[in-house]
Amino acid sequence: MSARRVALVTGSNKGIGLAVVRSLCKQFDGDVFLTARDVGRGQAAVEGLKGEGLSALFHQLDINDPASVRTARDFFRTQYGGVDVLINNAGIAFKMADTTPFGTQAEVTLKTNFFATRDMCNEFLPIIKSGGRVVNVSSGMGSIALGRCSSELQARFRSNNITEEELVGLMESFVKKAQEGVHNQSGWPDTAYGVSKTGLTTLTRIQARKLTAERPGDGILCNACCPGWVRTDMAGPNATKSPDEGAITLVYLALLPPGAKEPHGQFVSEKKVQPW
């Protein structure tokens, strides 16, 4: 087993994820793993970085495939004794002009952005090493969606005692109501992507609470963040930031210095804690 430190970035063969790997290769003292669903694309991205004089490693990882997640978990546990930095970046979004029915968009978007990311966390959080850093890539759209929810829903999402089970129930309820076409009447907004990120930021708050309660001496920091509006396949060519600029807050949270106590369980944008 290697005593080296190790960082892992999900969905990192392109866009913000690739920019995060690039930045970590320059700043992180340890091995940096680029992961992707598609082995060919992932290895091509690693080769591209090599052309920039940067050395990343590759591991196949599809967060929607539980077997793939467990295989990766076992690899990192066996080879490194766990993970020092986990950046949950993998995510999807439908384009604004997409005509896919809203109920389908809700199901597909939450499947990856919330449920698969949660599964990933449930497998990997137990192997985060002491002093580890967990960064869940959320979005300012999650805050906007939260503001468009009914006051009852807002109160639950902001609650300091909401459980993971309750949150899962809320996310399942949104998908069901969206499929039935009654999500507005039930207090939900018209953004599947936004709701998926409301869920992810709330999940991060729950995870941080749990880490503090169950592993108080381990100094693990877990935060959600917004990269900003970034020129990627997902956000399109008109966005204001380059991927490297979008990576800045993610990398800042991943490299919070040893012994830091905060931020923890927060939603961070432009390296600043935002109100939730």
Side-chain angles (χ1 to χ4, degrees):
M1 189 197 301
S2 171
R4 281 178 70 74
R5 299 178 74 226
V6 63
L8 156 66
V9 187
T10 68
S12 51
N13 59 292
K14 62 179 183 178
I16 296 167
L18 179 57
V20 169
V21 170
R22 178 184 291 116
S23 183
L24 288 175
C25 283
K26 296 172 183 171
Q27 299 181 65
F28 178 70
D29 179 22
D31 291 343
V32 181
F33 274 82
L34 181 154
T35 70
R37 285 179 299 191
D38 184 281
V39 173
R41 285 184 194 150
Q43 288 172 339
V46 167
E47 285 304 309
L49 290 170
K50 206 172 274 178
E52 298 174 33
L54 300 172
S55 159
L57 297 156
F58 176 72
H59 200 288
Q60 193 277 340
L61 176 58
D62 177 358
I63 68 166
N64 279 307
D65 175 2
S68 167
V69 172
R70 285 193 294 270
T71 298
R73 177 205 62 194
D74 292 347
F75 168 82
F76 286 101
R77 189 165 53 194
T78 304
Q79 296 298 318
Y80 293 92
V83 170
D84 296 280
V85 171
L86 171 63
I87 299 184
N88 285 306
N89 167 73
I92 61 163
F94 284 85
K95 302 281 185 241
M96 291 299 278
D98 198 302
T99 54
T100 305
F102 187 71
T104 306
Q105 291 197 24
E107 183 180 7
V108 171
T109 305
L110 268 73
K111 181 176 187 287
T112 294
N113 294 2
F114 178 78
F115 291 105
T117 304
R118 172 181 174 253
D119 292 342
M120 175 77 193
C121 290
N122 285 342
E123 296 293 356
F124 273 82
L125 283 179
I127 67 161
I128 298 294
K129 294 192 225 171
S130 181
R133 305 286 180 254
V134 180
V135 184
N136 292 330
V137 182
S138 189
S139 167
M141 277 303 299
S143 303
I144 292 168
L146 176 64
R148 292 179 186 162
C149 286
S150 68
S151 53
E152 292 82 2
L153 284 172
Q154 288 187 40
R156 289 321 302 150
F157 285 124
R158 291 195 171 109
S159 159
N160 289 325
N161 61 11
I162 184 173
T163 63
E164 192 171 324
E165 293 68 32
E166 185 183 354
L167 176 61
V168 166
L170 286 170
M171 294 288 104
E172 287 171 343
S173 170
F174 168 69
V175 172
K176 186 166 175 288
K177 302 289 188 195
Q179 288 170 332
E180 292 166 0
V182 296
H183 58 283
N184 288 150
Q185 296 94 298
S186 309
W188 295 100
D190 282 317
T191 164
Y193 181 78
V195 170
S196 75
K197 296 302 192 178
T198 303
L200 182 56
T201 301
T202 306
L203 178 66
T204 307
R205 288 159 53 85
I206 293 168
Q207 288 168 343
R209 251 186 11 234
K210 207 164 157 184
L211 284 164
T212 302
E214 294 174 6
R215 299 175 63 179
D218 281 359
I220 299 168
L221 298 178
C222 172
N223 291 287
C225 69
C226 174
W229 193 30
V230 181
R231 291 187 293 278
T232 59
D233 290 350
M234 189 190 281
N238 303 324
T240 45
K241 285 185 176 183
S242 70
D244 288 327
E245 289 167 331
I248 290 172
T249 293
L250 285 65
V251 173
Y252 157 73
L253 290 171
L255 299 180
L256 286 167
K261 298 275 187 281
E262 55 191 35
H264 180 51
Q266 301 290 348
F267 177 64
V268 180
S269 173
E270 307 296 341
K271 300 206 281 194
K272 291 188 173 61
V273 171
Q274 304 298 317
W276 179 243

